[in-house]
Every structure is written in structure tokens, then in C-alpha cells.
Amino acid sequence: PTDPGYGNQWNLFAPAGANQGGVNLPLAWDLTKGSASVVVAVVDSGYRQHIDLASVLSGYDFITDPARANDGDGRDANAQDPGNWVVANECGAGTPARDTVWHGTHVTGTIAALMNNGQGGTGVAPNVRILPVRVTGKCGGLMSDIIDGMRWAAGFAVAGAPPNPNPAQVLNVSIGDHSACSPALQ
């Protein structure tokens, strides 16, 4: 790839020397760079518009709590990420202040950043389409919102949400939790 940030994406290179964790994408890209017929849902914090992200479909915001959503309302058809910064103690007594991390946008770029456009880096599968499903905001996310977002992303009906016109074949859910997976989540 000709993208200027590609040289720093060591994890995409072939394993060699100290880089034993590389996934050898140059060899894989000889076979495929993904397909526009494949929809990958990024079930996360939403996304920000970015010049390296052209394949983003209309998604959905499943955050029910307006304060957590940080966008002035609850669930709606706007999956953009307004930021998840917090001040000290906002997420509970003793919790530190934290800047916005834009995690959903980062994950979207890792999956599908454009290749050979002279911007940023490149994605693992730059030809796939991304379906943003916003489920986390300030102070994390509610498990009920995450489950509804996953169900909707896969094409299942969710009460109060419109049908998903682009059901995903792949769901990326890179959200951490310290408790065991509930039967509902499973």
C-alpha cells in the first residue's frame, strides 16, 4: 500500500525477527481485500467521519441513556460518536477524568481504511462495508443496549428500532467486561 501510515502498521506485515505477531496481510491481499458484498458491523462507540473511511453505511445508536450517549438523546438513527470524555468522579466515586478515545472509529479504520489513497494507513479488508452500531458512550455501556445492538446488527428485530437494511455477516465487538457472559449475551 502507498498510504503513508502503512509503514507503521507492523501488525500487518509478515512475521519476521522481533515482529512475530504480524499477520502477513501482503500475502493475503494477493487473494482478497474483502468484498463490498460483505458487511462488517462495528458494535462499539460509533464512528467519526474520516477521509480514510468511505464504506460506512447508515447505522444506529442503541444507547438508551441520554447522559451516557452524550448526544442529547437516546436511541436514534445517528451512529456518530460525539465523544466519551468524562470528568473525575463522573463514572462513580474515585474514577479519574478521561479524554475521548474514539474507539469505534479506530476499529473501523483497522478493518476498512481505504488502501492506496495517500491518506493514513490501510485496513485489513479495505473493500468491505462497515455498519456502525453505537452501544457505548460515557462510562461504558449497558448490557441491554449492547445485546440489542448485536441483535440488530445481525438482522434480528429489536423493539423500537427500525429493521436493519444491511444485516452484517461479521460482528466486531471489542468491548470488555469483568463479569461472565450472561445467557442473553451468549
Side-chain angles (χ1 to χ4, degrees), residues 43-64:
V43 182
D44 208 297
S45 64
Y47 76 102
R48 298 293 293 174
Q49 294 287 349
H50 191 280
I51 196 165
D52 228 8
L53 303 176
S55 59
V56 178
L57 300 164
S58 294
Y60 204 79
D61 178 353
F62 277 92
I63 301 175
T64 52

Side-chain angles (χ1 to χ4, degrees), residues 6-177:
Y6 174 67
N8 296 323
Q9 292 179 282
W10 60 268
N11 55 314
L12 306 184
F13 303 154
N19 178 28
Q20 292 302 309
V23 294
N24 201 8
L25 279 181
L27 186 60
W29 286 327
D30 286 344
L31 301 174
T32 184
K33 293 175 183 74
S35 167
S37 67
V38 175
V39 175
V40 177
V42 177
V43 182
D44 208 297
S45 64
Y47 76 102
R48 298 293 293 174
Q49 294 287 349
H50 191 280
I51 196 165
D52 228 8
L53 303 176
S55 59
V56 178
L57 300 164
S58 294
Y60 204 79
D61 178 353
F62 277 92
I63 301 175
T64 52
D65 175 15
R68 185 182 304 270
N70 198 32
D71 62 2
D73 57 23
R75 291 184 173 181
D76 60 38
N78 183 357
Q80 293 219 19
D81 184 351
N84 64 354
W85 70 93
V86 294
V87 297
N89 302 309
E90 188 173 358
C91 297
T95 59
R98 182 184 74 225
D99 289 334
T100 295
V101 296
W102 312 115
H103 191 264
T105 301
H106 174 82
V107 171
T108 298
T110 299
I111 296 168
L114 294 172
M115 181 183 279
N116 297 325
N117 68 337
Q119 302 289 324
T122 191
V124 171
N127 294 339
V128 302
R129 296 181 299 153
I130 297 291
L131 178 68
V133 182
R134 187 166 183 251
V135 298
T136 62
K138 287 186 165 213
C139 307
L142 300 175
M143 194 57 66
S144 56
D145 292 346
I146 295 167
I147 292 168
D148 281 354
M150 291 171 63
R151 292 181 54 77
W152 184 84
F156 293 100
V158 174
N164 177 355
N166 298 294
Q169 290 84 15
V170 178
L171 273 64
N172 182 97
V173 186
S174 51
I175 298 170
D177 189 16

